[in-house]
């Protein structure tokens, strides 16, 4: 039976009043017919012409770009980056907003997610309602008048996409298309100095450039196109090279060290195979300080570091719980476990187990802990893992989150298990994007009531 297809609205333009910011870097608007538009490149309160980029007449919502601004908001600025704008690079969400406005938008998103998913006001979450910039990222007017860039160059790891002509660029929003760039404003100096954008990369699909913090280690991780061969890599600074295998998708050393050395929390951390490390150069120290101040470890404590990566929080905990204490780290990635064991080999009170948190915790036989740190992936920990953590009856729990929606959902599940937020801090560790980092400190609700 033949059916009529639903007409696509891609390319159709609507003149709309822009409403509040939403999670994901866009704002919410409605067409005259009442259909929801998620609009990028705009700010709350503006009147814009929005051009649909995804959706049809029957869709629950449409995605769109603001292609003309009819009534600008007071916080609108000319984007500093020449590659920013509708249909251009998708790396930055808010090049068109002042830095202060960006942080207020992030605060609005976190407030909305806490209310909608956790039923918490900022006060009930122990949050003062602000999103704090990293030291040095807040540029004053005097600095701007002296010629300083308004955009902090913070991104120590940049994943370049390579177009069919071998030119380096960044992906367009929700697209495999490549916006060729000659300089990314948010790339850290150590990335920029490699000169990735100035070269061609025949037969290569992606180039990840890594500039370690606290050392001169530089690395590129190459992903060849199917059947492609590696080019000779000659960059502007000494660099180690790794490649992603076409068949096994594993990381293989080509030349140089298979790791970089990062410096944070008073220690040096080996991070191999392009593994996870915070991309803002000050993020690791900021988060360790927030977690330790919130947990207030004591000598002799038994602590867990879940989703521990290369051991950052486990190391900080071990130094504070002393020789009579113990720390167990749990991480699923094999190479990260190897690195964590290497990084903390001088601390015999630390043990690192490989596996998924929900599988490792039961087999360890651990039934109680004094402190818990969890830094789960963007999707969050989930109800079952939250239940297992709460059953340990920890004095305090530190939850490090890069996604406010996942954080709020997990906070709701922690509440069902008898834990409430004592304190919540939010940090703008991804300037000019919609991302942020949060640290929530939880304690048993019964203990709080009896305090």
């Amino acid at each position: 039976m033949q059916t009529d297809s639903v007409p696509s609205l891609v390319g159709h333009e609507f003149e709309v009043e822009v409403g509040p910011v939403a999670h994901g870097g866009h704002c919410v608007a409605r067409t005259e017919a009442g259909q929801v538009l998620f609009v990028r490149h705009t700010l709350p309160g503006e009147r814009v012409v929005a051009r649909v980029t995804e959706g049809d007449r029957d869709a629950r919502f449409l995605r769109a770009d603001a292609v003309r601004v009819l009534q600008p908001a007071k916080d609108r600025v000319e984007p500093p980056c020449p590659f920013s704008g509708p249909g251009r690079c998708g790396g930055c969400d808010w090049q068109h907003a002042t830095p202060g406005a960006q942080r207020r938008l992030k605060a609005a998103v976190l407030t909305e997610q806490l209310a909608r998913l956790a039923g918490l006001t900022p006060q009930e979450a122990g949050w003062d309602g602000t999103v704090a910039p990293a030291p040095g990222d807040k540029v004053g007017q005097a600095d701007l008048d002296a010629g300083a860039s308004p955009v902090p160059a913070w991104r120590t790891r940049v994943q370049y996409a390579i177009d069919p002509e071998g030119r380096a660029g960044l992906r367009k929003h929700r697209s495999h298309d490549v916006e060729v760039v000659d300089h990314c404003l948010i790339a850290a100096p150590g990335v920029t100095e490699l000169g990735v954008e100035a070269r061609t990369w025949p037969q290569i699909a992606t180039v990840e450039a890594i500039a370690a913090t606290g050392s001169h280690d530089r690395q590129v991780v190459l992903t060849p196109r199917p059947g492609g061969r590696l080019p000779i890599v000659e960059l502007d600074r000494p660099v180690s090279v790794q490649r992603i295998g076409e068949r096994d998708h594993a990381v293989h050393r080509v030349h140089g060290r298979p790791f970089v050395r990062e410096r944070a929390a008073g220690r040096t951390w080996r991070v191999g195979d392009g593994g996870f490390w915070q991309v803002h150069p000050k993020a690791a120290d900021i988060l360790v300080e927030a977690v330790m101040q919130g947990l207030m470890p004591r000598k002799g404590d038994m602590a867990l570091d879940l989703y521990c990566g290369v051991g950052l929080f486990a190391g900080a905990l071990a130094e504070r719980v002393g020789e009579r204490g113990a720390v167990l780290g749990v991480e699923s990635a094999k190479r990260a476990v190897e690195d964590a064991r290497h990084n903390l080999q001088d601390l015999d009170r630390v043990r690192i187990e490989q596996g998924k948190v929900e599988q490792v915790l039961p087999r360890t036989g651990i039934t109680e802990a004094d402190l818990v740190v969890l830094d789960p992936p963007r999707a969050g920990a989930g109800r079952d893992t939250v239940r297992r953590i709460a059953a340990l009856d920890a004095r305090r729990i530190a939850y490090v989150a890069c996604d406010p929606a996942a954080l709020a959902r997990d906070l709701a599940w922690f509440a069902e298990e008898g834990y409430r937020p004592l304190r919540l801090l939010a940090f703008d560790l991804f300037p000019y994007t919609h991302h942020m980092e949060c640290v929530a400190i939880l304690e048993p609700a019964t203990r709080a009531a009896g305090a």
Side-chain angles (χ1 to χ4, degrees):
M1 182 177 66
Q2 186 174 1
T3 59
D4 294 333
S5 61
V6 178
S8 170
L9 290 178
V10 173
H12 193 87
E13 294 183 354
F14 296 95
E15 184 176 321
V16 295
E17 297 281 352
V18 179
V21 66
H23 181 31
H26 46 253
C27 294
V28 181
R30 288 184 180 272
T31 67
E32 289 185 355
Q35 198 166 20
V36 173
L37 281 171
F38 289 145
V39 189
R40 283 174 58 84
H41 308 289
T42 190
L43 296 171
E46 293 187 325
R47 187 165 189 84
V48 304
V49 174
R51 180 179 298 154
V52 177
T53 56
E54 293 180 40
D56 56 46
R57 291 193 188 280
D58 289 350
R60 188 164 55 91
F61 61 85
L62 306 172
R63 296 186 184 276
D65 285 341
V67 294
R68 291 198 303 280
V69 180
L70 306 177
Q71 295 176 4
K74 65 178 179 63
D75 290 319
R76 176 173 283 275
V77 295
E78 188 67 24
C81 177
F83 307 106
S84 175
R88 306 292 303 278
C89 174
C92 292
D93 305 295
W94 292 326
Q95 285 273 344
H96 58 284
T98 64
Q102 295 172 38
R103 292 189 284 271
R104 290 192 293 273
L105 290 170
K106 296 182 187 193
V109 168
L110 180 54
T111 299
E112 191 269 340
Q113 295 296 308
L114 288 171
R116 185 168 65 87
L117 299 175
L120 293 171
T121 66
Q123 293 75 20
E124 290 167 337
W127 176 43
D128 66 4
T130 65
V131 178
D137 280 359
K138 190 172 182 179
V139 181
Q141 188 58 49
D143 297 315
L144 294 174
D145 293 341
S149 171
V151 182
W154 57 271
R155 194 170 189 91
T156 60
R157 294 171 178 233
V158 177
Q159 178 92 20
Y160 292 97
I162 309 301
D163 79 352
E165 285 73 46
R167 299 172 298 177
L170 299 164
R171 299 283 185 196
K172 298 180 180 180
H173 181 61
R174 293 177 63 85
S175 171
H176 292 293
D177 295 339
V178 178
E179 177 75 24
V180 176
V181 304
D182 57 20
H183 176 55
C184 174
L185 286 183
I186 65 172
V191 169
T192 299
E193 69 184 8
L194 293 177
V196 172
E197 305 100 330
R199 285 158 174 76
T200 56
W201 299 89
Q203 304 185 61
I204 295 297
T206 65
V207 177
E208 182 180 12
I210 300 171
T213 300
S215 77
H216 294 293
D217 291 352
R218 304 290 182 263
Q219 186 177 86
V220 292
V221 182
L222 307 180
T223 303
R225 297 186 183 278
R229 299 177 61 185
L230 288 184
I232 296 175
V233 178
E234 294 180 345
L235 292 173
D236 293 348
R237 294 289 188 275
V239 63
S240 62
V241 179
Q242 301 200 79
R243 69 185 298 272
I244 304 297
E246 182 177 344
R247 294 183 179 179
D248 60 7
H249 305 291
V251 181
H252 301 274
R253 186 177 73 89
V254 177
H255 69 75
R257 293 192 186 98
F259 59 85
V260 296
R261 294 164 297 179
E262 303 279 358
R263 185 75 185 170
R267 298 178 70 90
T268 298
W269 307 89
R270 188 181 79 180
V271 184
D273 287 357
F276 175 78
W277 185 261
Q278 290 287 342
V279 292
H280 194 294
K282 297 179 181 176
D285 281 324
I286 288 172
L287 295 175
V288 166
E289 181 180 8
V291 167
M292 295 304 129
Q293 287 184 351
L295 291 181
M296 296 192 296
R298 303 169 184 167
K299 299 295 184 183
D301 275 344
M302 164 59 187
L304 301 181
D305 180 8
L306 308 180
Y307 315 92
C308 71
V310 299
L312 177 66
F313 297 114
L317 284 166
E319 293 177 355
R320 288 162 174 80
V321 302
E323 294 183 359
R324 294 186 296 109
V327 180
L328 172 66
V330 180
E331 169 58 41
S332 62
K334 180 180 178 181
R335 179 55 198 258
V337 168
E338 293 172 357
D339 286 338
R341 290 170 176 165
H342 169 85
N343 294 333
L344 304 175
Q345 60 186 319
D346 60 313
L347 299 170
D348 56 10
R349 53 192 173 274
V350 179
R351 188 169 97 247
I352 306 295
E353 293 285 343
Q354 182 184 350
K356 294 182 177 180
V357 168
E358 62 271 21
Q359 297 171 351
V360 171
L361 280 182
R363 76 170 186 239
T364 62
I366 294 174
T367 57
E368 59 183 17
D370 298 299
L371 303 172
V372 177
V373 180
L374 66 155
D375 185 4
R378 189 170 300 279
R383 185 191 293 269
D384 291 343
T385 301
V386 165
R387 186 179 294 120
R388 291 188 183 280
I389 293 171
L392 299 172
D393 195 28
R395 183 173 74 247
R396 285 192 177 177
I397 298 170
Y399 189 131
V400 183
C402 61
D403 185 276
L407 171 64
R409 283 193 297 268
D410 284 350
L411 287 182
W413 288 327
F414 269 113
E416 292 179 4
E417 301 299 326
Y419 276 83
R420 64 139 208 160
L422 172 68
R423 181 185 312 160
L424 175 63
L425 299 172
F427 301 100
D428 186 14
L429 301 181
F430 307 88
Y432 286 85
T433 79
H434 74 272
H435 300 289
M436 69 187 96
E437 203 82 28
C438 298
V439 175
I441 304 300
L442 313 178
E443 66 177 3
T446 52
R447 184 172 291 135

